[in-house]
Amino acid sequence: MTGSRGAAIVALAVLASAAVEAQRGGGQPPAPPTPRAGAPIDLTGYWVSVVTEDWRYRMVTPKKGDFASVPLNPEGRKMVEAWDPAKDVASGDQCNAYGAAAIMRVPGRVHVTWQDDATLKIETDAGTQTRLLHFGESQPPAGDTSRQGYSKATWEIAGGPPRGGGPGAGRGGAGDGAPPPPRGGSLKVVTTLLKAGYLRKNGVPYSEGTTLTEYYDRHNMPNGDQWFTVTTIVDDPKSLQQPSTTSTDFKKEPDGAK
């Protein structure tokens, strides 16, 4: 066997082996889906808030000094007692109750769409606010805080690995050959760079530097209605003794006619 012929045979053997390996699934893994394509739940559409609790705090402006069920610390209580709506108007802060830490609690309608494959957009009729939820490796802009802050979004897949990963990640530790996890999951959103605002319209405060964590879960009701629930956790050591947690429901509407 000449050297050139031997080299050709070896090259053909390598190519054949690579082809067989690719057929067995040993080739390059497919590119991961975009956040939009890989969404375990669909939150897009028109939704209306369902007020089944805290009616007197959500549907009307509570009296000054009424902060029941909000774990304010002494500094937060001072701010509640000093609330003056006329000063808010004069300083251009009359929208303090429509910041990201409170807006999903304000009764009204929201429209959820994909702005692009990695950005989910929430538009609210209450306060006419727009929130952008950023997936992927994008970084918050340097500079000032804002009413809606900067929101980092991730999908939490049902049946996936524990937070932090570990052996068997993505298969629940079952090893090769295990069935894929069930379709479903939650949307987690962490918002920072928030301007100070109100948790309630009567001046119950959250401070600049607050961290907001939200979990969005979607439900199909027995009668065919579609709902989502957002669990909101407001972490503000300046004004709160402990994080304030609320759970708010929305029901899907057929279109934006209302």
Side-chain angles (χ1 to χ4, degrees), residues 94-153:
Q94 60 267 41
C95 289
N96 270 346
Y98 300 111
I103 189 61
M104 302 304 288
R105 196 70 174 161
V106 179
R109 288 178 166 82
V110 301
H111 184 206
V112 184
T113 57
W114 285 96
Q115 177 168 281
D116 55 49
D117 284 345
T119 310
L120 197 62
K121 179 166 68 173
I122 302 177
E123 299 170 282
T124 73
D125 62 356
T128 59
Q129 300 295 307
T130 299
R131 300 185 63 190
L132 297 178
L133 314 183
H134 304 275
F135 292 81
E137 300 301 323
S138 61
Q139 297 299 317
D144 295 338
T145 58
S146 64
R147 201 170 302 285
Q148 301 306 324
Y150 181 84
S151 295
K152 186 76 172 177

Side-chain angles (χ1 to χ4, degrees), residues 169-194:
R171 296 181 180 271
D176 290 344
R183 187 72 169 169
S186 301
L187 171 65
K188 178 181 179 181
V189 181
V190 178
T191 302
T192 55
L193 295 180
L194 283 167

Side-chain angles (χ1 to χ4, degrees), residues 18 20-29:
V20 171
E21 186 67 16
Q23 290 176 0
R24 291 177 178 174
Q28 289 292 329

Side-chain angles (χ1 to χ4, degrees), residues 42-49 108-112 123 125 218-219 225-229 249-255:
D42 182 13
L43 294 170
T44 60
Y46 294 92
W47 307 81
V48 62
S49 54
R109 288 178 166 82
V110 301
H111 184 206
V112 184
E123 299 170 282
D125 62 356
R218 196 177 184 280
H219 320 283
D225 288 345
Q226 301 173 57
W227 290 40
F228 79 75
T229 300
D249 295 318
F250 289 81
K251 178 181 175 182
K252 194 167 191 179
E253 297 189 310
D255 51 43

Side-chain angles (χ1 to χ4, degrees), residues 30-66:
T34 64
R36 180 178 185 176
I41 56 174
D42 182 13
L43 294 170
T44 60
Y46 294 92
W47 307 81
V48 62
S49 54
V50 180
V51 183
T52 56
E53 77 292 306
D54 287 349
W55 195 94
R56 71 189 183 100
Y57 300 120
R58 297 177 61 190
M59 298 301 293
V60 297
T61 301
K63 294 181 179 179
K64 181 175 179 177
D66 185 351

